[in-house]
Amino acid sequence: MDRIRIKGGRPLSGDIAIGGAKNAALPLMAAGLLTEERLELHNVPRLADIDTMAALLAQHGIAVEPDGRVLRLGGAITNTEAPYDIVRKMRASVLVLGPLLARVGEARVSLPGGCAIGTRPVDLHLKGLEQMGAEIRLDAGYIHAAVRGRLRGATIVLPFASVGATENLLMAAALADGQTVLVNAAREPEIGDLVACLVAMGARIAGTGTDRLVIEGVAQLTGARHAILPDRIETGTYACAAAITGGSVRLVGAQMEHLGAVARVLREAGVEIEEQPDALLVRRLNGLHGADAMTEPYPGFPTDMQAQYMALMAVAEGAAMVTETIFENRFMHVPELNRMGARINVHGASAIVRGVPMLSGAPVMATDLRASVSLVLAGLAARGETVVNRVYHLDRGYEAVERKLAACGAEIVREEG
Ligand code: EPZ
């Protein structure tokens, strides 16, 4: 398994290109199941999760032709099974469920099972599809779903603004018979991107950006070309890298509009973020100070930025309270950060982070995608050497992380083996 070796203490300086959003690309690829025509996606990041979704779509009969950062998808659905050996690698595989039901009336999708950050059920996806007429039973770890004829539009109230459930139900509703209203829908920008692509494919959807989406089902969808929005979590991650090293980095292609709560909290902590025509300039000129953060559905502070922000607060002056309200077990980076000299105490869903003047490098272990990158951030600021093991977690969501950081002056190398 590859590992990343970092010698900390060098302020970052230079440009980092921000890629297309992983969490938009994955549902957009699943949308390729909704039409036999060609769907062309631009600004696709090169990530392990994208490869996994491509393998899953190929399993269904959808050819995925990569051409740099362009993916061309097309073909007829020849198989409706999403097997365990693919789904267990990536939970977002469950996003093929709604499109398969909408297109061919059946699907057998392995239950994703839990992952490091929580049990992550899909009950909201299933209940919504049942309201649209699907018959669903769970057997031997698989979701067996079928519908006689077409799915029917329904008014679905989500008890929690689940991103994945919103995306699955949105795609199912696009081809359902009649009107679907999704109440308490998630409002993450990646959903707005999916809506924009579906509308380009001929879907009739109103309410984008709000928590109430109204979808008038249509008989079929056409192909389209769609450019994926920049990755706001990659943007926030590299903003933390600039801040934790006391550097100055231009995040090229980043958009302030989707950075919302992240920009507010980082500025409160003493980070300067300046909008430029083609980039966001992120600098830390003076000291960092503790600022509280609580994760919430968009437009709140994103849970996918919690681990990175905690690494930053570990070297801030004063203390910060970081509260995780989305997932039940997303503090696994804490013991590893504490091994590097951080002073973090977890009490239930909250962690008190007492800043220390300097972290010290150490061999550390990653457990999930965002925990991995928080350890890289800590290593960039720590005295001495840090080795982050199991970087396959990183490769799921960050393209060429060591190259992007090395280009800004970080002493960081990937070691095979
Ligand atoms: C998406 O996961 C993202 N993944 C996650 O990013 C992100 O952390 C999450 O949204 C929250 O923003 C992708 O977009 C591929 P949810 P998802 O459904 O859809 C509970 C990353 O690091 N829930 O909004 O699975 C669930 O247990 C990944 O890029 C149910 O109870 O998130 C969790 O506590 C990690 N029942 C909460 O809702 C359901 O049917 C949030 O889940 C669905 C969800």
Side-chain angles (χ1 to χ4, degrees):
M1 279 185 258
D2 288 5
R3 55 187 173 279
I4 280 183
R5 189 177 298 274
I6 304 163
K7 279 205 182 59
R10 300 167 65 136
L12 295 183
S13 166
D15 285 8
I16 291 182
I18 297 299
K22 165 180 86 81
N23 290 349
L26 294 172
L28 284 164
M29 289 174 74
L33 289 161
L34 291 169
T35 175
E36 280 213 342
E37 297 182 18
R38 177 185 293 257
L39 177 61
E40 193 170 289
L41 299 175
H42 291 245
N43 197 28
V44 181
R46 282 194 281 243
L47 299 168
D49 274 6
I50 301 296
D51 297 341
T52 303
M53 182 60 90
L56 179 55
L57 292 176
Q59 157 86 10
H60 294 313
I62 303 294
V64 180
E65 295 147 31
D67 171 10
R69 291 177 198 285
V70 176
L71 278 190
R72 293 185 181 87
L73 300 93
I77 294 171
T78 56
N79 176 308
T80 60
E81 176 166 347
Y84 175 66
D85 66 334
I86 295 181
V87 176
R88 72 181 171 81
K89 278 191 279 192
M90 186 186 64
R91 313 176 21 72
S93 306
V94 75
L95 292 173
V96 301
L97 180 59
L100 286 171
L101 271 176
R103 272 297 301 293
V104 295
E106 66 156 43
R108 275 160 299 142
V109 176
S110 168
L111 273 166
C115 75
I117 62 179
T119 54
R120 303 188 70 183
V122 290
D123 55 316
L124 303 182
H125 303 234
L126 303 183
K127 286 190 186 107
L129 290 169
E130 282 176 329
Q131 275 191 254
M132 296 174 77
E135 285 162 29
I136 291 179
R137 66 184 171 82
L138 306 183
D139 181 37
Y142 273 74
I143 303 163
H144 295 260
V147 60
R148 267 190 291 279
R150 288 174 71 187
L151 291 170
R152 294 185 304 279
T155 294
I156 301 166
V157 179
L158 289 174
F160 175 84
S162 155
V163 171
T166 302
E167 291 165 341
N168 236 334
L169 296 172
L170 185 58
M171 290 190 280
L175 287 177
D177 188 14
Q179 182 186 80
T180 296
V181 181
L182 295 184
V183 180
N184 194 27
R187 295 163 52 191
E188 273 68 4
E190 293 75 32
I191 288 168
D193 215 44
L194 176 61
V195 169
C197 182
L198 291 172
V199 167
M201 294 167 73
R204 294 170 52 201
I205 304 169
T208 189
T210 75
D211 63 359
R212 192 173 190 278
L213 295 173
V214 181
I215 305 103
E216 301 293 344
V218 295
Q220 62 184 22
L221 294 174
T222 65
R225 288 165 57 111
H226 178 80
I228 296 172
L229 84 172
D231 194 318
R232 62 193 169 97
I233 305 301
E234 187 186 25
T235 301
T237 300
Y238 288 119
C240 288
I244 204 170
T245 59
S248 169
V249 175
R250 273 173 25 97
L251 305 177
V252 181
Q255 279 173 1
M256 176 62 90
E257 69 176 303
H258 299 140
L259 217 49
V262 173
R264 174 176 53 75
V265 170
L266 287 179
R267 282 170 166 156
E268 222 178 289
V271 181
E272 286 204 18
I273 306 177
E274 179 196 318
E275 278 190 274
Q276 296 182 345
D278 66 335
L280 293 181
L281 173 62
V282 181
R283 291 178 295 178
R284 197 238 303 165
L285 304 175
N286 308 308
L288 277 173
H289 34 267
D292 295 349
M294 180 165 76
T295 66
E296 292 174 296
Y298 194 88
F301 191 88
T303 174
D304 291 350
M305 275 300 302
Q306 181 256 106
Q308 299 91 306
Y309 184 68
M310 198 180 279
L312 183 65
M313 288 296 98
V315 293
E317 284 158 42
M321 168 98 87
V322 179
T323 303
E324 171 60 56
T325 71
I326 306 292
F327 290 105
E328 66 264 32
N329 184 29
R330 203 170 196 177
F331 282 146
M332 283 156 309
H333 40 286
V334 168
E336 295 301 296
L337 290 171
N338 284 345
R339 290 184 57 241
M340 297 177 70
R343 290 179 56 210
I344 307 171
N345 290 75
V346 174
H347 298 277
S350 292
I352 292 282
V353 187
R354 292 183 179 79
V356 294
M358 176 67 77
L359 295 173
S360 52
V364 287
M365 182 79 76
T367 47
D368 68 85
L369 167 56
R370 308 302 177 182
S372 315
V373 82
S374 82
L375 300 175
V376 171
L377 297 181
L380 291 172
R383 177 182 48 247
E385 184 174 81
T386 297
V387 178
V388 181
N389 293 291
R390 293 191 187 172
V391 290
Y392 59 87
H393 290 297
L394 259 180
D395 296 336
R396 295 189 51 184
Y398 290 95
E399 183 178 338
V401 61
E402 74 280 1
R403 286 210 301 273
K404 291 189 177 185
L405 290 170
C408 287
E411 255 195 272
I412 179 169
V413 290
R414 175 187 290 257
E415 295 174 351
E416 318 272 322

